[in-house]
Amino acid sequence: MQYKNIIRILGLLVALLSVTMLPPALISMLYRDGGGVPFLMAFLWCLFTGIIAWYPNRYEKTDLRAREGFLIVVLFWLVLASFSAIPLLLLEQPNLSATDAFFESFSGLTTTGATILTNIDSLPHAVLFYRQQLQWLGGMGIIVLAVAVLPMLGIGGMQLYRAETPGPVKDSKMTPRIADTAKHLWYIYLSLTVACAVAYWLAGMSAFDAICHSFSTIAIGGFSTHDASMGYFNSPQINLVCVFFLIIAGVNFALHYAVVQSKSLKNYFYDPEFKVFIAIQVILTLICFFVLMASGTYQNEDTALDQALFQSVSISTTAGFTTTSFADWPTLLPILLIFSSFIGGCAGSTGGGMKVVRVVLLYLQGVRELNKLVHPKAIFSIKLGKKVLPDRVVEAVWGFFSAYAAVFVICMLLLLAAGMDDITAFTAVAACINNLGPGLGEVAANFASINDMSKWVLIMAMLFGRLEIFTLLVLFTPAFWRS
């Protein structure tokens, strides 16, 4: 294992992270909210630590193997999320314990959106901006940015890209070189963020709120600058803007790239995963609308449709924005929406969950097994669109699903052991492992009331979800550490 090379890379990444402490400090100066000093101190600390780690190992530039790639990705999230907690620890408002600061930091960088904060509206603008910025940086993985803009890393970036990119099929690249691929991803990501911010501003948000919410929308994070989330604005226009950009961010970014290159929207409609993804949104919206109208939750059809559409898309894409307390809706709907978050967004998107393509493959495999029962000697292949998938991909999906279920059950049992009730435990794990945010029961509004042990369990669930189980789980196998 190339430990010196790994330390060198982590040092560079921590030094890069230090730069992200400066924008909140500038925001603090602009609004004179008195929250800038902790961010300047965190900037100096991160920069100093990064240089100390990098300088002695600056000449250790050898190509990484797959093992080092996996380890760096995991350490990247652990180390950077930990360093991101420093300004939160130094702040006087809010005054957070170490556990709470780490929970908020990990939740932000993993784009989970679960928060322990209350009275968010009264927080300094610097803190509000920093939380949103964390989600934006975590949305596509800062490591992709690092591979794109730091060629001096001197590493083979494909190992990092494979470990970082969500989805079951990771061998295909949009462009021949990984650095070019990462740059194109970020051009698209940045362009969508700017477009989203402008749309929010035109729909009635202030410039500050528009920028902040564009960060968490494109990252499918769910943090807001207000306690009431999107409900604060009480605007159907803003809700529609949010829904539109959540759907765009929930689509495979490689598909966006193909559309940009070909200058044709037809690529979307040729993609089987995209079609299933849109179908899920439509079906969920219709179910929520009809149940809300039948139950008399809303008397006005326009209001019911607005709420049904917003909550369906927000929860199923794992954003977690809210316009109302959906936990108070008829019992079928909150449970249905929580389960929809297990599907999540498309592979290669900023969404969480198991990803649409995996669920599609699980369904197709189930159909194939049923057909084999009827025709034992027949040979059935699994096709995604017109492409026949090799059995190794299907086997990997089943392996992922079983590992996903095992991690979920273990986390839930640990929460029950910590004294949490069953509904809260189930939905809290679902909210964190799917990188969703809000749950039901005690965690419907925030996670402030749960104990510290539960918060650390959920931090691990966030990491497992963000790293798609295997990237983190592989570190626990003896074969990984064997020479």
Side-chain angles (χ1 to χ4, degrees):
M1 194 71 76
Q2 303 170 31
Y3 291 110
K4 288 185 177 181
N5 197 8
I6 290 170
I7 292 170
R8 177 184 69 87
I9 294 165
L10 289 175
L12 275 174
L13 291 172
V14 171
L16 177 66
L17 178 73
S18 70
V19 180
T20 67
M21 306 293 175
L22 296 177
L26 293 173
I27 292 291
S28 179
M29 290 175 59
L30 181 65
Y31 286 93
R32 301 180 185 276
D33 58 20
V37 174
F39 291 100
L40 290 175
M41 293 173 65
F43 162 73
L44 294 172
W45 179 253
C46 292
L47 183 62
F48 176 76
T49 307
I51 291 173
I52 289 297
W54 166 78
Y55 189 77
N57 305 296
R58 61 192 181 281
Y59 298 121
E60 298 288 336
K61 296 181 180 180
T62 51
D63 284 344
L64 293 180
R65 295 165 297 180
R67 287 199 308 167
E68 283 86 0
F70 282 116
L71 184 58
I72 286 174
V73 169
V74 174
L75 288 176
F76 159 79
W77 288 102
L78 284 170
V79 172
L80 266 63
S82 299
F83 275 91
S84 297
I86 292 174
L88 299 176
L89 284 167
L90 298 175
L91 285 164
E92 292 182 4
Q93 184 194 5
N95 187 8
L96 300 179
S97 66
T99 297
D100 286 349
F102 275 85
F103 186 92
E104 196 74 11
S105 172
F106 274 83
S107 179
L109 202 63
T110 59
T111 72
T112 301
T115 183
I116 45 80
L117 296 178
T118 54
N119 299 318
I120 294 172
D121 295 80
S122 63
L123 295 176
H125 282 77
V127 178
L128 297 177
F129 183 86
Y130 181 66
R131 293 171 73 242
Q132 307 297 115
Q133 178 187 262
L134 268 181
Q135 293 210 314
W136 188 75
L137 293 171
M140 282 287 283
I142 308 174
I143 212 159
V144 178
L145 175 64
V147 171
V149 302
L150 288 182
M152 72 283 291
L153 283 178
I155 59 175
M158 199 60 204
Q159 290 89 340
L160 300 182
Y161 180 68
R162 284 177 180 163
E164 173 66 11
T165 307
V169 185
K170 305 183 183 184
D171 293 330
S172 58
K173 294 182 289 183
M174 295 183 294
T175 55
R177 298 183 59 214
I178 178 60
D180 290 337
T181 297
K183 285 177 185 176
H184 282 100
L185 288 173
W186 272 90
Y187 289 150
I188 294 169
Y189 192 63
L190 183 61
S191 301
L192 288 176
T193 305
V194 172
C196 184
V198 171
Y200 275 139
W201 180 68
L202 292 174
M205 281 190 185
S206 67
F208 179 79
D209 278 341
I211 292 170
C212 287
H213 283 89
S214 69
F215 284 174
S216 53
T217 300
I218 300 303
I220 307 190
F223 274 165
S224 175
T225 54
H226 302 283
D227 286 298
S229 191
M230 289 295 185
Y232 171 86
F233 303 101
N234 193 26
S235 167
Q237 292 79 19
I238 287 175
N239 291 350
L240 278 176
V241 170
C242 185
V243 165
F244 177 75
F245 281 98
L246 283 179
I247 289 175
I248 288 178
V251 174
N252 191 329
F253 273 67
L255 187 56
H256 290 320
Y257 176 76
V259 169
V260 171
Q261 286 295 97
S262 64
K263 298 179 182 178
S264 171
L265 295 175
K266 290 181 180 179
N267 284 289
Y268 287 125
F269 304 104
Y270 291 148
D271 186 74
E273 186 184 23
F274 175 80
K275 290 188 283 189
V276 174
F277 174 65
I278 296 299
I280 289 170
Q281 310 309 315
V282 172
I283 292 168
L284 282 173
T285 301
L286 291 175
I287 291 173
C288 288
F289 172 71
F290 286 119
V291 172
L292 288 174
M293 290 301 297
S295 64
T297 306
Y298 299 104
Q299 302 302 320
N300 184 289
E301 290 184 358
D302 291 342
T303 304
L305 182 58
D306 175 46
Q307 296 293 331
L309 174 63
F310 183 87
Q311 294 298 160
S312 296
V313 173
S314 176
I315 302 300
S316 65
T317 57
T318 73
F321 289 119
T322 57
T323 49
T324 184
S325 178
F326 73 98
D328 297 331
W329 284 0
T331 309
L332 165 67
L333 298 185
I335 298 298
L336 174 67
L337 291 177
I338 291 292
F339 273 111
S340 73
S341 73
F342 283 91
I343 300 174
C346 298
S349 74
T350 56
M354 291 191 294
K355 304 295 184 293
V356 173
V357 69
R358 284 199 182 99
V359 176
V360 170
L361 291 179
L362 288 172
Y363 167 76
L364 293 175
Q365 171 67 355
V367 171
R368 180 167 76 168
E369 291 303 314
L370 289 174
N371 289 332
K372 280 185 176 181
L373 290 175
V374 180
H375 305 286
K377 295 183 180 180
I379 297 175
F380 298 96
S381 59
I382 290 181
K383 292 183 179 180
L384 197 59
K386 296 180 180 179
K387 183 179 179 182
V388 177
L389 295 180
D391 283 341
R392 66 175 182 82
V393 173
V394 180
E395 289 168 4
V397 170
W398 274 108
F400 171 85
F401 180 73
S402 59
Y404 195 92
V407 170
F408 185 95
V409 170
I410 291 169
C411 290
M412 182 177 170
L413 290 175
L414 289 172
L415 293 188
L416 292 171
M420 198 176 281
D421 68 86
D422 49 0
I423 290 293
T424 303
F426 179 85
T427 58
V429 176
C432 290
I433 201 170
N434 294 329
N435 303 129
L436 166 62
L440 302 175
E442 285 183 57
V443 295
N446 56 64
F447 288 67
S449 62
I450 64 175
N451 58 50
D452 284 359
M453 176 187 167
S454 299
K455 288 172 184 171
W456 285 108
V457 171
L458 293 174
I459 285 172
M460 285 302 299
M462 293 176 199
L463 278 173
F464 270 111
R466 185 61 185 85
L467 292 170
E468 304 232 333
I469 310 296
F470 279 155
T471 308
L472 182 53
L473 211 56
V474 71
L475 267 61
F476 294 94
T477 60
F480 180 85
W481 299 101
R482 232 175 262 137
S483 298

